[in-house]
Amino acid sequence: MRAYLAKRFLFGVLTLLVTSLLIFSLLRVVPGGPVDALIGEEWDDPELRAQLRRDLGLDLPFHRQYARWLGGLFRGDLGVSLVLYRGEPVGGIILERFGVTAQLAFISLTIALLVAFPAGIAAALWKERLPDHVFRIVALGGISTPNFFLGIALIVMFGVGLRLKWGVGGYVPFGEDPWGWFLRLLLPAIVLGTDHAATISRMLRASILEALGRNHVLTAKAMGLPRKEFLIQDVLRTAMVPVVTVIGNSAGALLDGAVITEILFRLPGLGSLLVQGVYARDLPLVQSVVIVAVGIRIAVNLIVDLSYALMDPRIRYGRGQ
Amino acid sequence: MTEVLLRIEDLVTRFYTELGVVKAVDGNSLHLGEGESLGVVGESGSGKTVTALSVMRLIENPGRIEGGRILFRGEDLLQKSERQMQRIRGKDITMVFQDSLSSLNPTLTIGEQITRVLRFHLRLSRRERWRRAVELLRQVGIPEPEQRVKHYPHQFSGGMRQRALIAMAISCSPQLLILDEPTTALDVTIEAQIFELVEELKRAFRMGTFLITHDLSVVATFCDRVVIMYAGKIVEEAPVTALYDRPLHPYTRGLLGSIPPLEGGKARLDSIPGEVPDLISLPPGCNFSPRCRLADERCWREEPPLEHPGPGRRVACWKAGETGG
């Protein structure tokens, strides 16, 4: 187990290194940088430009700049915002924004699971009958509706049509107004949750149908166990591994920040921070946001992999192959 | 004369598939006495397992039990509600399936799987259930049952898993134990041990056993009577010794001819030409006629009735007893 964890950790760090180099190079290749953003492209004052580049460390050769950023990352220093939040450390900004994204992800995933489980189970148990057909169509709709469309539709309905204060987005901290906090996160959470709910419920359906055909389900029936008992212990329990993989993917995707939805609903999360950073050409901010998002994804994947062992005792890490 | 434990009368079980109606069990009758061992022999698709699953009332869509009666201690199981059947399954009638690894839940320990059966059928405290689970494992010959009860199926060997399954099946002292090819996945030495165990348990509890197999040599050592099935129908029934001494149906003779003799004998084993017919479109006349060396006009045209050529014997063949030089 310890060896397995060490190996996974090492691979995670390696992945982060490679992506960090990738992001860093890409951002340097793109024309325009913080200097242009700060003094404007039209202001043609080479003296001032050179001065600014020196001050910001942008005159250093590529590898020195990269090494500086990387060194900072290892010390837990994500750099300083140059344009958007002039002089503020990026770490603090990301932490604050991630809080909003995490709250949104939590509500969204909760809604998705509350919908997906009953739907997936019902679709499997009434296979090829009405509930299955209904959920199939709804799920297809959920997967194929683009988030921007669903988001706008909800804003038009609740915000414009019903003139509800929370229907047009915005963010209120939980501590200030818990109910307002929930209402404002509700619509974007629904927007983000629909395709996750659809994917999870479809996976659950397939997984349950596969489990229903297993021999140990027949044994359970032959031992006279009631339906509820074998459906939970023999069918659902053994059907969970692939479903948890999908749930983990959803959690990872949600925690990375949702660009379009956060902007539509004016939520100060990680996704909208990234877009603002890009527009402002705030290089340190953008590269650190991306690397944090990658780190979150790697961590979520590891947690998902470790959770398999809880569901299936045959899965053990680190011993043998 | 022993009491009749199970009597199946004119059982018809069919599967309504997209390709057509599969006549899996086609009007069969058989009986099993208390403490008696009945061997049900036939190739795959002959209707052995479907017969057993019909007794358990575990036939699922698109299958349907369409006719007949299944009397267990005189009561028709086909008239029972699903709730009543739940109380009978696992308690009075249990079934052990062939592949022990897939027949056990991989996510529960052996102990959890045995105790949950006890929980639904017997009024025992938690502590008593676990004590009984350990006792059952000991009874089926699993060493160190106190430790083993906490293990998962994948930590058991194939033979041990089959023992554990049997322990689960006998946990509520059933009167009828159905074994569906319980040793197919096991080595011959382990196979012999398993049958010894079942034999012991059978004697201890006066349990009737319904053994499904395609292996006539297993039947010879373990069963009192044999029923031979072919394409959904019983073609021959006889006490074990009588069957081996003088098989009446050409199919039975074919099955016996495919067992290697212990010493000397022929270098080549006989095989039955052809394969089991399609149960959706059965041939006219006798189902076995297309593969039968003795078949003539009448066999191809008319179905032979099940007749009683002697005490305890039944056979369905126009040429019963003929060897056809």
Side-chain angles (χ1 to χ4, degrees):
Chain A
M1 182 68 184
R2 197 167 292 171
Y4 175 79
L5 273 180
K7 203 173 85 184
R8 284 297 300 259
F9 188 75
L10 204 73
F11 273 115
V13 171
L14 221 65
T15 316
L16 278 174
L17 267 178
V18 172
T19 35
S20 71
L21 187 61
L22 218 67
I23 303 158
F24 195 83
S25 332
L26 277 173
L27 288 177
R28 308 298 127 161
V29 171
V30 176
V35 177
D36 290 329
L38 284 172
I39 57 178
E41 280 171 50
E42 297 80 29
W43 193 302
D44 203 14
D45 184 345
E47 194 72 6
L48 183 62
R49 278 177 183 275
Q51 176 69 36
L52 209 50
R53 287 176 68 83
R54 253 197 312 284
D55 289 352
L56 299 177
L58 296 171
D59 60 332
L60 295 170
F62 178 84
H63 67 273
R64 296 258 328 257
Q65 286 192 41
Y66 178 61
R68 262 173 95 179
W69 179 50
L70 209 60
L73 287 183
F74 274 105
R75 276 178 277 118
D77 175 12
L78 299 181
V80 173
S81 165
L82 295 182
V83 188
L84 206 56
Y85 296 85
R86 273 174 219 184
E88 267 189 59
V90 172
I93 304 165
I94 289 181
L95 207 64
E96 202 186 310
R97 294 296 198 104
F98 177 68
V100 177
T101 292
Q103 292 157 23
L104 180 62
F106 175 73
I107 296 179
S108 185
L109 199 61
T110 308
I111 294 173
L113 292 178
L114 286 177
V115 173
F117 267 79
I121 293 169
L125 295 185
W126 286 279
K127 185 185 131 192
E128 300 296 330
R129 304 235 291 277
L130 190 65
D132 190 20
H133 295 311
V134 170
F135 288 128
R136 189 201 312 272
I137 292 165
V138 173
L140 193 63
I143 293 172
S144 26
T145 312
N147 282 355
F148 75 85
F149 176 78
L150 189 60
I152 291 170
L154 287 177
I155 290 174
V156 167
M157 249 160 68
F158 290 90
V160 181
L162 297 172
R163 300 191 161 278
L164 293 168
K165 202 165 59 190
W166 49 269
V168 288
Y171 177 75
V172 182
F174 180 79
E176 269 175 38
D177 173 9
W179 184 236
W181 168 83
F182 174 73
L183 285 178
R184 279 179 179 79
L185 287 177
L186 185 63
L187 292 186
I190 290 172
V191 170
L192 288 176
T194 37
D195 56 354
H196 296 297
T199 320
I200 294 167
S201 74
R202 289 281 94 186
M203 191 69 212
L204 191 62
R205 173 190 182 272
S207 197
I208 288 176
L209 285 178
E210 203 231 303
L212 272 174
R214 295 216 183 106
N215 282 342
H216 60 80
V217 178
L218 191 58
T219 300
K221 289 180 191 168
M223 294 299 155
L225 301 183
R227 193 173 155 84
K228 199 176 130 207
E229 166 74 15
F230 70 75
L231 280 184
I232 293 173
Q233 295 292 343
D234 295 80
V235 178
L236 260 188
R237 220 180 142 108
T238 53
M240 278 317 286
V241 171
V243 178
V244 165
T245 311
V246 177
I247 295 174
N249 273 338
S250 295
L254 287 168
L255 287 174
D256 277 353
V259 173
I260 293 167
T261 312
E262 283 180 9
I263 289 174
L264 265 180
F265 289 91
R266 298 181 293 131
L267 289 171
L270 222 47
S272 56
L273 178 64
L274 182 66
V275 177
Q276 289 163 353
V278 170
Y279 280 139
R281 293 177 185 165
D282 197 337
L283 294 187
L285 183 74
V286 172
Q287 66 203 22
S288 291
V289 169
V290 176
I291 206 76
V292 165
V294 173
I296 291 170
R297 204 42 104 85
I298 291 172
V300 171
N301 280 345
L302 180 59
I303 293 170
V304 169
D305 283 358
L306 291 178
S307 74
Y308 293 156
L310 293 177
M311 290 175 291
D312 191 333
R314 285 171 297 181
I315 299 169
R316 284 281 174 274
Y317 296 108
R319 242 182 284 149
Q321 285 321 107
Chain B
M1 183 66 194
T2 54
E3 287 285 306
V4 172
L5 183 64
L6 177 75
R7 181 184 291 285
I8 299 176
E9 292 173 358
D10 304 313
L11 178 68
V12 177
T13 304
R14 290 185 177 147
F15 289 83
Y16 291 83
T17 68
E18 279 169 20
L19 297 172
V21 183
V22 178
K23 295 175 182 170
V25 175
D26 200 10
N28 289 332
S29 302
L30 58 84
H31 66 94
L32 172 67
E34 259 177 23
E36 193 187 20
S37 278
L38 179 71
V40 180
V41 181
E43 290 165 274
S44 338
S46 60
K48 310 164 290 190
T49 304
V50 176
T51 304
L53 289 174
S54 301
V55 172
M56 300 290 291
R57 285 265 311 274
L58 286 174
I59 297 291
E60 286 185 1
N61 257 327
R64 246 179 275 160
I65 301 174
E66 301 229 294
R69 299 202 295 168
I70 297 173
L71 301 169
F72 179 69
R73 288 180 305 181
E75 289 178 47
D76 190 354
L77 296 180
L78 298 183
Q79 303 301 324
K80 301 270 182 203
S81 69
E82 178 56 28
R83 267 197 105 84
Q84 289 171 314
M85 277 314 295
Q86 268 176 20
R87 278 196 286 271
I88 292 170
R89 289 182 205 127
K91 187 163 189 295
D92 301 320
I93 310 176
T94 50
M95 188 159 173
V96 171
F97 299 93
Q98 52 174 302
D99 178 9
S100 62
L101 183 58
S102 66
S103 296
L104 287 163
N105 185 327
T107 65
L108 298 175
T109 63
I110 295 292
E112 284 168 335
Q113 300 193 50
I114 295 178
T115 51
R116 68 176 178 159
V117 177
L118 296 171
R119 190 171 84 233
F120 285 107
H121 293 299
L122 304 177
R123 289 182 178 279
L124 294 174
S125 69
R126 210 186 124 75
R127 183 186 288 249
E128 286 169 325
R129 287 199 294 268
W130 280 88
R131 202 180 305 138
R132 175 140 183 179
V134 170
E135 202 40 56
L136 283 161
L137 290 186
R138 196 192 314 282
Q139 208 168 6
V140 296
I142 288 177
E144 297 175 359
E146 294 86 356
Q147 267 71 53
R148 287 310 219 156
V149 81
K150 292 176 223 144
H151 286 183
Y152 289 96
H154 68 276
Q155 295 166 299
F156 278 58
S157 69
M160 287 295 155
R161 273 198 300 265
Q162 200 55 271
R163 284 169 189 268
L165 258 181
I166 291 172
M168 195 196 300
I170 61 161
S171 61
C172 304
S173 321
Q175 289 158 300
L176 175 58
L177 175 64
I178 301 174
L179 300 150
D180 188 356
E181 310 206 16
T183 55
T184 326
L186 302 176
D187 294 340
V188 262
T189 47
I190 310 289
E191 176 177 55
Q193 290 173 13
I194 295 288
F195 279 118
E196 253 165 57
L197 168 68
V198 177
E199 187 73 48
E200 252 170 59
L201 296 169
K202 193 180 82 180
R203 237 174 285 143
F205 298 117
R206 270 188 73 70
M207 199 167 58
T209 50
F210 187 105
L211 172 70
I212 296 171
T213 180
H214 53 252
D215 187 348
L216 269 173
S217 54
V218 165
V219 169
T221 52
F222 182 71
C223 297
D224 305 315
R225 268 187 316 121
V226 200
V227 160
I228 311 279
M229 288 188 73
Y230 186 80
K233 284 207 152 104
I234 291 176
V235 293
E236 181 160 10
E237 180 189 333
V240 165
T241 43
L243 186 94
Y244 282 83
D245 287 347
R246 206 167 74 86
L248 294 178
H249 199 284
Y251 179 62
T252 314
R253 277 201 298 280
L255 287 178
L256 286 169
S258 57
I259 300 172
L262 211 49
E263 41 200 77
K266 293 178 282 185
R268 275 180 72 96
L269 297 176
D270 288 339
S271 65
I272 304 171
E275 50 191 273
V276 187
D278 183 359
L279 293 174
I280 292 172
S281 51
L282 287 167
C286 171
N287 285 340
F288 187 60
S289 60
R291 300 171 73 184
C292 185
R293 283 189 304 139
L294 306 176
D296 61 16
E297 284 292 321
R298 182 156 72 151
C299 301
W300 292 321
R301 216 175 44 240
E302 280 175 66
E303 204 178 318
L306 202 56
E307 287 181 286
H308 297 262
R313 299 204 70 157
R314 289 192 294 170
V315 66
C317 179
W318 295 120
K319 308 274 180 183
E322 286 179 29
T323 49

